[in-house]
Amino acid sequence: MNIHPTAIVAPGAVVPESCIVGPYCTIGPNVVLGENCELVSHVVLDGHLTVGARNRFFPFACVGVAPQDLKYKGEPTGVTLGDDNTIRESVTISRGTVGGGGTTRVGSNCLIMAYAHIGHDSVVGDHCILANAATLAGHVFVESYAVVGALNQVHQFCRIGKYAYLGGGTTVTQDVLPFSLTSAKRETHAFSVNKVGLERRGFTKEQLKSIQYAYRVLLAAKLNTSQAIERLKSEGVATDDVTYLVEFIESAERGIHK
């Protein structure tokens, strides 16, 4: 069997010969792995955990660990994973609780990105993506083909409908409609020049004056971005810093925060 000598596999664990268990992994006594799974390194699999075939676990993933629930008293609850999932670095998937049915479930063909968390008794369908640091509280249902964006927070007992796409940084406190694009309101603005930071980097008073003027044209002259750029060009403001600012804006493919 391809088990690194530093790995610890408890008696009772089921690890097929086709699996790869990398350095410093820990597999508990009630874990059952399917064929052709890979634990890259430093992976912890615990609890009554049943894993399908061809799952790949990256370093520091912890699956089947005790739920973050004060009511949990060590009951023999578990986690099930389907086939062909990718569990990236430092992902945590908590096992279920007696009050929630006892099992946390993840389907097949899911990508769970680094630092994502799937709380106890949650259910994730097939072909789902949880982006970096997406966080599901307990009892969350994510239906198949849904995408939960980076840094999303999903309140307990909420549902994410099929094919929904959640924008990054969105906090979810109610059910998300199937087929929808759902995102928190974006109100990011450029308020002013980073004057203190530029001074600390050695920018001269003349440099700061030219940058501050350019920002007044961009932000306070009641011009749209294209008009502001044309005004800066027509006025012949040709310092290196302002030229760089103009070129940066003109090369933006997704627009700018203004």
Side-chain angles (χ1 to χ4, degrees):
M1 297 179 70
N2 194 352
I3 298 176
H4 194 275
T6 61
I8 299 174
V9 180
V14 177
V15 182
E17 291 186 8
S18 60
C19 292
I20 299 172
V21 180
Y24 301 103
C25 294
T26 302
I27 301 177
N30 298 304
V31 173
V32 178
L33 292 179
E35 297 288 344
N36 296 294
C37 289
E38 179 182 2
L39 284 61
V40 175
S41 73
H42 298 84
V43 174
V44 175
L45 304 182
D46 197 14
H48 287 74
L49 171 62
T50 302
V51 178
R54 299 175 301 280
N55 288 278
R56 195 176 189 203
F57 301 86
F58 281 76
F60 304 104
C62 296
V63 181
V65 292
Q68 299 176 120
D69 185 338
L70 293 175
K71 299 185 297 297
Y72 181 71
K73 303 302 180 184
E75 297 89 351
T77 55
V79 174
T80 64
L81 270 67
D83 303 326
D84 300 297
N85 295 297
T86 299
I87 311 297
R88 292 304 303 248
E89 295 84 354
S90 299
V91 165
T92 53
I93 303 177
S94 300
R95 58 183 179 256
T97 63
V98 172
T103 305
T104 303
R105 303 180 187 276
V106 177
S108 298
N109 298 287
C110 294
L111 171 58
I112 314 298
M113 295 188 190
Y115 297 97
H117 172 70
I118 300 175
H120 59 83
D121 305 296
S122 292
V123 177
V124 177
D126 300 327
H127 299 278
C128 292
I129 297 174
L130 271 62
N132 299 88
T135 300
L136 309 183
H139 313 279
V140 170
F141 283 75
V142 180
E143 296 183 356
S144 294
Y145 295 96
V147 176
V148 183
L151 300 169
N152 282 184
Q153 307 166 64
V154 183
H155 194 277
Q156 60 186 0
F157 297 104
C158 286
R159 298 179 301 158
I160 312 298
K162 287 184 178 181
Y163 300 97
Y165 188 102
L166 282 168
T170 300
T171 296
V172 173
T173 58
Q174 295 178 300
D175 290 357
V176 174
L177 293 171
F179 317 113
S180 70
L181 289 171
T182 299
S183 180
K185 189 175 182 180
R186 307 296 172 88
E187 295 185 348
T188 304
H189 303 286
F191 291 98
S192 182
V193 173
N194 181 17
K195 182 173 180 291
V196 173
L198 295 177
E199 288 175 339
R200 288 173 177 170
R201 293 297 180 182
F203 279 65
T204 66
K205 290 182 179 180
E206 289 74 19
Q207 286 178 293
L208 288 172
K209 184 177 179 180
S210 69
I211 295 170
Q212 288 171 323
Y213 174 74
Y215 266 79
R216 283 198 297 273
V217 173
L218 281 169
L219 304 181
K222 297 183 179 180
L223 302 173
N224 64 35
T225 302
S226 298
Q227 292 168 336
I229 291 299
E230 289 304 315
R231 177 170 168 179
L232 290 173
K233 286 181 173 180
S234 66
E235 291 178 346
V237 180
T239 67
D240 290 343
D241 299 317
V242 175
T243 299
Y244 162 68
L245 176 63
V246 169
E247 291 175 349
F248 182 92
I249 295 169
E250 289 182 321
S251 65
E253 296 182 357
R254 289 179 54 84
I256 61 169
H257 286 299
K258 180 180 172 185

